[in-house]
């Protein structure tokens, strides 16, 4: 019975989180606009592409797992699990959920750069990803 | 008088319905517990979403509870990557994992790596080292290379397909 209650708690937590993230749903363009506004600078897609492809003093670049082309399926450097392409033109679900995008920027910037990315860096990367067709 | 008799019948009927409901609920709980012991219960959607983005949704019974606790309390440093999730989700998933952890062993494998655990090694004892190193497999944690339904938490031998 205790186990059943815990299952219900997990189910409730799952439902509550899904509801919370649905509210924060966005289009890639809306998310880009929010990063641009937060940074106070224009987005620079070329700078975003460079940032994506170079290493930042650590073992991995963004491209290590995502490949240099955001239109291509990536492979996780450790587990070899496939990763869907990042460009919205290749995967329409990309950057349509702000909370989800923020979570992955936080995790992956910590891995690649050793800190969270700034709003300007995120704006640049996203501008490039949206532009790639 | 008639009303009183009707009330007694209604009360008896109500008690019977309650008993039947309790019996049905007990059957449900038992079958659910049985399903879990055979790890046939699909993992929670949140487990798939948070953990199976980078690797297959590893079956909870493949690690002892102490290993799951250690793994879930250090997600920001998770085998070389930041795999942190929000505190509410971490707590809920940690509870689910420890509830469904191994009942065969309490021995923690080196670094709490599931792929170095006794159960994993026993289940994969027929897999040669040559096979592991194939470019199509590469890593013991790349479950999906051979377990074609692992993305949904199913590791049945019926779904096995060894890639070339």
């Amino acid at each position: 019975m205790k186990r059943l209650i815990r299952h219900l708690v997990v189910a409730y937590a799952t439902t509550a989180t899904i509801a919370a993230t649905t509210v924060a749903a966005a289009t890639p363009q809306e998310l880009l606009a929010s990063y641009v506004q937060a940074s106070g600078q224009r987005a620079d897609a070329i700078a975003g592409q460079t940032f994506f492809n170079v290493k930042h003093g650590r073992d991995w670049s963004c491209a290590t797992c995502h490949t240099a082309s955001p239109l291509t399926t990536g492979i996780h450097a450790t587990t070899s699990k496939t990763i869907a392409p990042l460009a919205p033109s290749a995967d329409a679900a990309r950057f349509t959920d702000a909370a989800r995008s923020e979570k992955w920027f936080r995790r992956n910037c910590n891995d690649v750069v050793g800190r969270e990315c700034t709003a300007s860096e995120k704006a640049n990367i996203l501008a490039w990803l949206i532009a790639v067709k | 008088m008639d009303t009183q008799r009707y009330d007694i019948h209604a009360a008896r009927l109500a008690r019977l319905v309650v008993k039947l409901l309790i019996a049905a609920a007990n059957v449900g709980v038992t079958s659910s517990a049985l399903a879990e012991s055979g790890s046939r219960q699909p993992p929670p959607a949140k487990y798939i979403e948070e953990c199976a983005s980078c690797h297959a949704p590893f079956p909870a019974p493949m690690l002892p509870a102490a290993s799951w606790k250690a793994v879930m309390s250090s997600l920001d440093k998770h085998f070389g990557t930041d795999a942190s999730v929000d505190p509410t989700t971490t707590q809920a998933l940690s509870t689910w994992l420890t509830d469904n952890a191994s009942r065969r062993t309490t021995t923690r494998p080196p670094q709490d790596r599931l792929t170095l655990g006794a159960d994993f090694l026993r289940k994969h004892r027929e897999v040669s080292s040559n096979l592991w190193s194939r470019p199509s497999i590469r890593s013991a944690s790349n479950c999906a290379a051979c377990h074609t339904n692992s993305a949904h938490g199913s590791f049945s031998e019926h779904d096995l397909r060894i890639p070339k």
Side-chain angles (χ1 to χ4, degrees), chain A residues 89-105:
Chain A
S89 65
D91 181 352
R94 287 298 190 186
F95 303 101
T96 55
D97 176 340
R100 186 181 166 88
S101 302
E102 273 295 285
K103 178 181 76 181
W104 282 106
F105 267 128

Side-chain angles (χ1 to χ4, degrees), chain B residues 62-139:
Chain B
M62 294 291 278
L63 274 181
S67 285
W68 282 125
K69 272 185 194 159
V71 166
M72 293 303 288
S73 60
S74 59
L75 282 179
D76 58 328
K77 293 183 178 66
H78 186 68
F79 304 106
T81 65
D82 178 353
S84 54
V85 295
D86 68 82
T88 311
T89 306
T90 305
Q91 184 56 50
L93 292 181
S94 191
T95 301
W96 179 78
L97 285 165
T98 50
D99 275 359
N100 292 282
S102 177
R103 288 169 196 171
R104 297 164 57 93
T105 180
T106 53
T107 307
R108 293 167 64 178
Q111 301 164 297
D112 295 308
R113 280 183 192 273
L114 185 146
T115 50
L116 296 178
D119 274 347
F120 182 93
L121 297 175
R122 181 175 50 78
K123 284 172 184 287
H124 295 87
R125 63 185 181 277
E126 291 161 21
V127 181
S128 71
S129 55
N130 282 348
L131 205 146
W132 283 124
S133 58
R134 283 183 190 172
S136 52
I137 301 177
R138 290 200 343 183
S139 160

Side-chain angles (χ1 to χ4, degrees), chain A residues 3 6-7 79 106 110, chain B residues 36 50 54 82 84 99 103:
Chain A
R3 181 174 291 244
R6 285 187 167 174
H7 271 294
T79 66
R106 174 173 51 77
N110 269 335
Chain B
E36 275 166 20
E50 294 295 350
C54 298
D82 178 353
S84 54
D99 275 359
R103 288 169 196 171

Side-chain angles (χ1 to χ4, degrees), chain A residues 3 7, chain B residues 31-41 61 99-100 103:
Chain A
R3 181 174 291 244
H7 271 294
Chain B
S31 61
S32 144
L34 282 174
E36 275 166 20
S37 67
S39 76
R40 303 243 186 272
Q41 190 101 334
D99 275 359
N100 292 282
R103 288 169 196 171

Side-chain angles (χ1 to χ4, degrees), chain A residues 46-125:
Chain A
I46 301 296
Q49 182 178 13
T50 306
F51 186 94
F52 192 89
N53 280 290
V54 300
K55 287 184 183 175
H56 300 265
R58 300 184 141 225
D59 292 345
W60 295 343
S61 68
C62 305
T64 303
C65 293
H66 290 290
T67 81
S69 166
L71 302 172
T72 310
T73 298
I75 296 180
H76 194 284
T78 309
T79 66
S80 295
K81 189 177 187 295
T82 56
I83 304 170
L86 273 182
S89 65
D91 181 352
R94 287 298 190 186
F95 303 101
T96 55
D97 176 340
R100 186 181 166 88
S101 302
E102 273 295 285
K103 178 181 76 181
W104 282 106
F105 267 128
R106 174 173 51 77
R107 287 176 174 177
N108 294 357
C109 288
N110 269 335
D111 287 342
V112 170
V113 195
R115 58 164 172 80
E116 295 200 22
C117 288
T118 64
S120 170
E121 287 163 343
K122 288 188 272 195
N124 292 348
I125 293 169

